[in-house]
Amino acid sequence: MPRRHDIDALRVIAFALLIVYHVGMVYVADWGFHVKSAYLAEWLQWPMIALNRWRMPLLFMISGIALGLARIDRAPLRFAARRCWRLLLPLAFGMFVVVAVQAYCEGLANGRLQPGFWAFLLRYWQLRPWPSGSFTGAEFGITWNQLWYLAYLWLYTMLLVALLPLRTLRTAEWLAGWRWPTWLLLSLPVAWLAMCRLVLAPRFPETHALFGDWTVHAQSLPLFLAGYAIAGNIGFWERIRALRWPVLAIALACITIELTIRAGGRYLPPDAAVPAWVPWAEVERIARAAYTWTALLAIFGWGQVLLDRRFRWLPYCTEAVYPWYILHQSLIVPLAFWLSPVQLGPVLEPALVLGGTVGGCLLLHELVIRRAPLLRPLFGLKRGRATAHCAAERVSHSLDLTKNARLQRSTPARSRVPDACP
């Protein structure tokens, strides 16, 4: 099966947006985060809501698609062992080493910890509960913060491997291959996501604690399994490519409805002439569900058109995604914590936090992590200083260019087709 460059590119773009989103969490008004700046902006809520609705669903679907394209059913037990190594080792290392600085800065910002990082670290490694309000996860004595995605991805992957021998998963693949009517393709996932928001979310708020986080599981696990089921289905991908304009229009309409209702509840006076018989909260949640699914379809449809090509930066960025994901928030939080008292202003401070985060990830990944065989597995990379993936990509790219050049020389000029690869 040919490599899906659009899926690789979407993964890179999604994690890049994750860095921007977490920097925005420092400055968005009325939203909690590990540290907050004095320069808070209410307007940031609107673009961040629009991004929030599909950023994690996209990552879970991409993870499922990647497993479907990898054909893990050929050696599921060996794959499960490798997956445990590549997910649980970075998770454990990240929790005990990388994320610790976030908890320390949050505790200092809350006034619940005394200065002294090494003393904090020795206490943190004991896994004893901290006083209430010390930092996120203090009741467990340790935290995984943004690394919760790795724990959930490991759980879903193990569940997928367990389901591989069962006919239920084959049935799901068959259903994914059926040519669904457009209205069903759009409405059934929206109905499920709406049920999650209407029924589960009020009873089970999102915690990212793995156990008891039923709303997140109900949304993320089906999207992960759906990604696996549709991965190799050419008909499905052709379908959403053809629907990319309509679903984009629907997604824009749905997020407009959600944001309008939110703005009305926030800014309209209590005595405003608003129809009382309309269940505005329910309409907002349904619009949110519809936006999530149609935005995903639009992203995948447009990704095929714009991103399914051999970008020269893609092999390097594909390798860098994992270390950058582990590192980025442990740079954002300390940078924001140290820069906030300096009062640099609402433009320079976030620019330095974002620039310092990107620069720190780049330097640590390029100069330290990828060049140290002992560190590579701790950040989810395969052993070896040169990655076989990057080398294979370069060789394959050269072979494709050579093949295309020979084809063009042997083809009459009037029938030559422009090369789609850069």
Side-chain angles (χ1 to χ4, degrees):
M1 185 177 295
R3 189 169 188 89
R4 291 288 303 274
H5 303 288
D6 56 322
I7 300 300
D8 289 338
L10 285 174
R11 182 192 293 111
V12 171
I13 293 171
F15 278 105
L17 289 174
L18 187 66
I19 295 176
V20 177
Y21 182 87
H22 283 155
V23 171
M25 287 295 295
V26 178
Y27 299 97
V28 63
D30 301 328
W31 292 14
F33 195 56
H34 308 291
V35 295
K36 299 293 287 188
S37 171
Y39 305 108
L40 300 179
E42 188 176 309
W43 65 266
L44 271 177
Q45 293 183 15
W46 311 115
M48 291 185 66
I49 287 173
L51 178 59
N52 173 272
R53 299 304 184 242
W54 52 261
R55 63 184 184 91
M56 293 311 300
L58 176 64
L59 288 177
F60 279 113
M61 280 202 77
I62 287 176
S63 297
I65 292 168
L67 298 189
L69 295 175
R71 297 301 304 271
I72 65 173
D73 54 322
R74 296 175 178 175
L77 295 182
R78 187 190 309 170
F79 170 80
R82 291 200 308 265
R83 204 65 172 170
C84 288
W85 176 260
R86 294 199 67 190
L87 289 175
L88 295 184
L89 179 63
L91 175 60
F93 177 76
M95 291 172 64
F96 280 90
V97 179
V98 180
V99 175
V101 68
Q102 300 180 40
Y104 175 68
C105 292
E106 183 178 356
L108 291 181
N110 293 338
R112 302 300 179 92
L113 298 180
Q114 297 297 320
F117 180 67
W118 294 113
F120 163 81
L121 199 59
L122 292 175
R123 168 74 168 78
Y124 179 82
W125 285 342
Q126 297 175 31
L127 303 183
R128 291 187 290 118
W130 295 74
S132 177
S134 295
F135 57 85
T136 303
E139 64 272 23
F140 304 107
I142 196 170
T143 183
W144 53 36
N145 284 0
Q146 85 279 6
L147 301 184
W148 67 269
Y149 168 71
L150 298 182
Y152 284 58
L153 183 57
W154 173 82
L155 176 64
Y156 298 165
T157 303
M158 294 304 105
L159 180 60
L160 175 61
V161 171
L163 290 175
L164 284 176
L166 303 180
R167 295 187 61 85
T168 52
L169 193 58
R170 297 174 188 172
T171 302
E173 293 183 44
W174 177 83
L175 288 174
W178 183 52
R179 187 171 178 82
W180 292 76
T182 301
W183 68 274
L184 275 180
L185 178 65
L186 297 179
S187 62
L188 285 183
V190 169
W192 175 260
L193 293 173
M195 185 279 297
C196 294
R197 303 312 311 174
L198 292 169
V199 179
L200 291 179
R203 294 171 174 80
F204 304 101
E206 298 182 10
T207 63
H208 297 160
L210 190 63
F211 299 104
D213 198 10
W214 301 117
T215 299
V216 173
H217 288 313
Q219 294 177 124
S220 303
L221 178 58
L223 291 172
F224 173 80
L225 295 177
Y228 178 84
I230 66 174
N233 189 285
I234 298 176
F236 177 85
W237 292 105
E238 291 177 346
R239 187 81 176 281
I240 62 172
R241 177 172 179 157
L243 290 173
R244 65 187 185 276
W245 279 110
V247 293
L248 176 60
I250 296 173
L252 293 176
C254 290
I255 190 59
T256 301
I257 292 172
E258 181 186 357
L259 295 181
T260 299
I261 294 175
R262 281 179 167 269
R266 189 179 187 92
Y267 300 117
L268 287 179
D271 57 347
V274 178
W277 54 271
V278 178
W280 295 108
E282 288 74 13
V283 172
E284 177 197 342
R285 295 188 182 115
I286 294 172
R288 171 177 178 171
Y291 171 64
T292 298
W293 179 243
T294 53
L296 290 174
L297 294 181
I299 290 168
F300 285 125
W302 281 102
Q304 292 179 78
V305 175
L306 302 176
L307 301 174
D308 195 10
R309 63 194 67 183
R310 292 181 180 276
F311 297 102
R312 294 188 180 276
W313 50 265
L314 190 53
Y316 180 86
C317 292
T318 299
E319 182 201 52
V321 158
Y322 208 159
W324 283 49
Y325 164 68
I326 294 174
L327 290 170
H328 77 277
Q329 195 163 290
S330 290
L331 292 170
I332 291 172
V333 172
L335 284 170
F337 176 74
W338 293 328
L339 290 175
S340 291
V342 184
Q343 298 183 348
L344 297 173
V347 176
L348 182 57
E349 183 186 301
L352 288 176
V353 171
L354 179 59
T357 300
V358 173
C361 287
L362 178 62
L363 292 175
L364 289 172
H365 169 245
E366 177 60 31
L367 301 181
V368 181
I369 297 169
R370 73 188 301 257
R371 300 176 187 274
L374 293 178
L375 287 179
R376 291 177 64 89
L378 300 177
F379 289 88
L381 302 180
K382 296 179 180 179
R383 287 187 180 274
R385 296 186 60 170
T387 60
H389 169 69
C390 293
E393 283 286 323
R394 288 193 293 269
V395 171
S396 178
H397 178 64
S398 299
L399 291 175
D400 280 356
L401 292 180
T402 303
K403 181 179 178 181
N404 288 336
R406 291 174 178 172
L407 181 61
Q408 288 181 0
R409 285 196 298 267
S410 62
T411 305
R414 63 178 180 273
S415 62
R416 287 179 184 173
V417 180
D419 185 9
C421 298

